[in-house]
Amino acid sequence: QVQLVESGGGLVQAGGSLRLSCAASGRTFIYIMGWFRQAPGKEREFVALIDWNGDRARYADSLKGRFTISRDNAKNTVYLQMNSLEPEDTAVYYCAAPRGVYMGNSDRGYDYWGQGTQVTVSS
């Protein structure tokens, strides 16, 4: 089993930045780690994913250039740096990981989920 715990959410003004962290435990090798988000009244949507070495990262098209995913395998932690935040980025952000090597953007491909961290961007 894999446990994922997110942190770093909070309230920020538009144009500001936040860095989310997701600490994994229970398994030392997790090839893919990803971030999703869910805004009130909307479906959960893909944000970004990264492979083990950090060589391959994918982003939702609408977020490219503002969000950056990275990981520190020594700490079993994945990060999401969010810059130039907009009110539309307000959502609960979830860390997720598939059991295998799934590099897609469907949440159905991910088996392990954190509890989520709230990000609120004020205008």
Side-chain angles (χ1 to χ4, degrees):
Q1 273 291 55
V2 173
Q3 292 79 43
L4 303 173
V5 179
E6 303 96 335
S7 61
L11 174 64
V12 63
Q13 288 188 332
S17 299
L18 279 176
R19 189 177 81 154
L20 305 183
S21 300
C22 171
S25 61
R27 200 169 86 185
T28 57
F29 181 77
I30 304 172
Y31 187 70
I32 298 295
M33 295 191 75
W35 287 97
F36 288 76
R37 69 183 185 182
Q38 187 167 22
K42 294 186 177 181
E43 293 187 352
R44 188 161 53 189
E45 64 174 353
F46 170 76
V47 173
L49 64 83
I50 190 168
D51 71 351
W52 174 259
N53 293 319
D55 294 335
R56 288 184 290 176
R58 293 182 181 174
Y59 298 90
D61 288 340
S62 61
L63 301 176
K64 285 181 181 178
R66 294 195 298 123
F67 288 16
T68 303
I69 189 171
S70 61
R71 66 190 293 171
D72 183 339
N73 293 329
K75 296 181 179 179
N76 287 331
T77 299
V78 64
Y79 304 97
L80 185 68
Q81 178 67 42
M82 306 185 295
N83 298 327
S84 302
L85 284 163
E86 304 167 354
E88 293 73 25
D89 295 317
T90 295
V92 178
Y93 284 71
Y94 296 93
C95 178
R99 286 195 187 93
V101 184
Y102 175 71
M103 294 195 69
N105 59 7
S106 170
D107 60 358
R108 288 175 290 180
Y110 291 76
D111 303 287
Y112 306 108
W113 292 85
Q115 81 289 348
T117 186
Q118 176 70 47
V119 171
T120 302
V121 184
S122 63
S123 57

